[in-house]
Amino acid sequence: MRYGIFSDIHSNLEAFDTVLDALSKEAIDSYLCIGDIVGYAANPRECIKKFQELSCISVIGNHDAAAAGILDTEYFNPTAKIAIFWTQQIISDKDKQFLGSLEYTYQNEDLILVHGTLNNPERFHYLLDASLAIKTFELMDRPVCFVGHSHIPGIFVQDDDKISYLDEFKIDISKDKKYIVNVGSVGQPRDSDSKAAYCIYDTDLGLIEIKRIEYNIKETQEKIIRAGLPKSLATRLARWS
Ligand code: ZN
């Protein structure tokens, strides 16, 4: 099985289109999304539609839940909050129902998906270091769990009691280890690389690879400005390029 896995699209249609185009050339059997289809950028409706056309499973992200009205925006920063209120005005009730219907976790025979952490997935914790990874490793009854949320790609490996963090983006899976893979973000990377991120998991080859691709950042930025969203949401897309 060859999975195409991505996260944190954040209403960035140019990045989403570019990633889907790249994945269409990768002989993918199954598409999986780790949430935050909406929030921040200017094309929430278009990204939801594109997602629905794809035949893809997704778990819910905090921005999806907030846009659907099932998560309080109290803990959102001011610009994220503005973007959520804007998104709520733009999307339909049907879109909100769809976002609100996404599950917190997904599991099949090969893997688990969760936006934040497996402990209290509805709280959307950030999985940023080994001490925070322990609880998720404890709750995993599959060898690999894919996460998003921080927009920083990287891989935690548990080997017996030892947890290490790899910032390599291509690894061979070993059967006696467990892995938590943060696939990074399609629409708003935060790791000093402005390129959109996505991941391929090939279970036959035992290979996980996080890839990066350039997209038309300028167009996304112009749309954000034209929509009247905070300018910082446009500038941050290219801050690192
Ligand atoms: Zn996000």
Side-chain angles (χ1 to χ4, degrees), residues 6-17 19 33-51 58-67 71 76-77 79-84 86-87 90-91 99 102 115-116 124 126 147-152 182-190 196-197 215 217 219-221 223-224 227 229-230 232-234 236-237:
F6 49 83
S7 188
D8 296 274
I9 299 156
H10 285 299
S11 304
N12 183 336
L13 186 63
E14 290 67 37
F16 194 22
D17 266 339
V19 164
C33 174
I34 318 175
D36 277 0
I37 298 168
V38 301
Y40 294 132
N43 286 127
R45 270 180 316 203
E46 294 80 356
C47 287
I48 291 171
K49 188 162 178 280
K50 189 144 281 261
F51 173 86
S58 185
V59 290
I60 195 166
N62 51 321
H63 288 252
D64 304 321
L71 179 72
F76 280 59
N77 69 49
T79 40
K81 220 181 262 188
I82 291 168
I84 287 297
W86 181 88
T87 300
I90 292 288
I91 63 176
L99 293 171
L102 299 172
H115 191 66
F124 300 106
Y126 287 94
V147 302
H149 198 29
S150 71
H151 302 199
I152 299 167
N182 191 314
V183 302
S185 169
V186 172
Q188 195 198 78
R190 296 177 191 160
Y215 70 96
I217 291 179
E219 194 172 338
T220 308
Q221 289 176 317
K223 285 181 179 178
I224 289 170
L229 284 158
S232 61
L233 294 177
R236 76 180 302 175
L237 296 178

Side-chain angles (χ1 to χ4, degrees), residues 138-177:
E138 278 171 6
L139 293 165
M140 284 167 59
D141 52 10
R142 297 287 183 277
V144 191
C145 179
F146 291 90
V147 302
H149 198 29
S150 71
H151 302 199
I152 299 167
I155 302 172
F156 292 95
V157 187
Q158 189 184 51
D159 185 2
D160 288 324
D161 285 342
K162 208 174 105 259
I163 295 174
S164 46
Y165 181 74
L166 311 174
D167 50 9
E168 302 161 34
F169 296 141
K170 190 173 182 178
I171 60 158
D172 293 309
I173 292 288
S174 157
K175 281 203 166 61
D176 48 2
K177 295 178 188 167

